[in-house]
Amino acid sequence: MNLNSPLFDRIRTQRESRETPRETTIRCDSPGCEAEGAYRAPMGRLREGQYLCFCLEHVREYNATYNYFNGMDDASVARYMKDATVGHRPTWSMGTRRGQAGFREDHMSAVDPLGVYRQRFRRPQPAAPRRGPQHSPVTIRAFVAMGLEETADRETIRARYKELVKRHHPDANGGDRSREEKLREIIHAYKTLRAARLV
Ligand SMILES: [Zn+2]
């Protein structure tokens, strides 16, 4: 058998070209965005270690609206901070006593990488609207894929779905099938929300 046969080169090339692009490029999680999702954004409280991927523009947008304490009332936030303070800092090193403010700052940088707590601590916020139950990561992803808030109601979800399907359907793009992937993603997201009885 001749291993230098051009036949082997052809097989190798075909396999590489089929597999490589799928595995290396992560798309931005913002619906309709075809950019590379090079930036990770945390999904939030109770979903530590889980991330969404965005392009620079959309990670900024996401971070601007990100609220680590989503779904918590003020009393719970206060309790969370108190528990975290005790939990994360069991020892107070002797001889390096610092003021309360210094301690707070120091602690916050550990639990609050985006600075949302810091913001909240400084100025009193209006009471947060009551939110529904916490959604699973899969459901959150579906909301994000459709560009919706987690609090979106049935009507909003349905209207958004119609709008997105219309926008990404090949018929609406002069038969351009390049948006089919996005369309599939939207349909999948909608099915996920329906399975979660949100639609
Ligand atoms: Zn993007």
Side-chain angles (χ1 to χ4, degrees):
M1 184 161 52
N2 176 14
L3 290 172
N4 293 321
S5 156
L7 180 66
F8 285 98
D9 287 341
R10 196 154 59 85
I11 291 169
R12 214 171 7 245
T13 309
Q14 277 179 354
R15 185 174 299 147
E16 277 164 11
S17 63
R18 211 172 31 241
E19 289 175 359
T20 314
R22 285 203 162 267
E23 285 171 357
T24 49
T25 316
I26 297 165
R27 293 266 161 246
C28 175
D29 275 325
S30 185
C33 183
E34 298 293 327
E36 188 185 343
Y39 298 85
R40 298 199 310 170
M43 277 187 169
R45 187 173 56 88
L46 305 179
R47 292 183 287 274
E48 277 85 359
Q50 295 179 58
Y51 294 89
L52 295 162
C53 295
F54 292 109
C55 66
L56 182 59
E57 182 197 338
H58 287 120
V59 78
R60 282 188 178 141
E61 197 178 297
Y62 181 82
N63 283 348
T65 57
Y66 176 92
N67 182 1
Y68 187 78
F69 295 103
N70 248 355
M72 265 182 158
D73 57 33
D74 286 349
S76 304
V77 171
R79 196 162 49 237
Y80 173 88
M81 289 317 300
K82 192 162 156 274
D83 290 351
T85 305
V86 175
H88 289 262
R89 285 288 185 113
T91 55
W92 187 269
S93 45
M94 306 271 277
T96 56
R97 266 182 90 166
R98 278 178 293 173
Q100 193 64 23
F103 172 74
R104 244 188 246 145
E105 279 295 309
D106 202 74
H107 169 66
M108 277 192 288
S109 57
V111 297
D112 186 28
L114 293 171
V116 285
Y117 170 66
R118 205 176 308 234
Q119 263 182 5
R120 186 175 183 113
F121 211 90
R122 280 215 195 106
R123 53 190 161 82
Q125 301 272 316
R130 291 301 291 174
R131 308 230 179 212
Q134 291 286 322
H135 299 304
S136 73
V138 174
T139 309
I140 306 273
R141 239 190 126 79
F143 275 115
V144 171
M146 293 180 69
L148 287 165
E149 297 267 343
E150 286 174 48
T151 48
D153 61 14
R154 273 162 212 277
E155 295 314 310
T156 311
I157 296 169
R158 277 182 199 153
R160 180 78 180 152
Y161 178 63
K162 269 189 200 163
E163 181 204 326
L164 288 172
V165 168
K166 219 164 156 186
R167 195 199 301 170
H168 292 285
H169 200 281
D171 290 351
N173 296 287
D176 174 13
R177 307 183 82 82
S178 68
R179 293 181 188 228
E180 264 181 20
E181 181 91 0
K182 206 72 211 174
L183 182 61
R184 264 196 296 275
E185 203 180 310
I186 290 155
I187 292 168
H188 179 73
Y190 186 74
K191 280 181 179 169
T192 303
L193 295 181
R194 210 169 48 190
R197 296 170 176 275
L198 293 162
V199 188

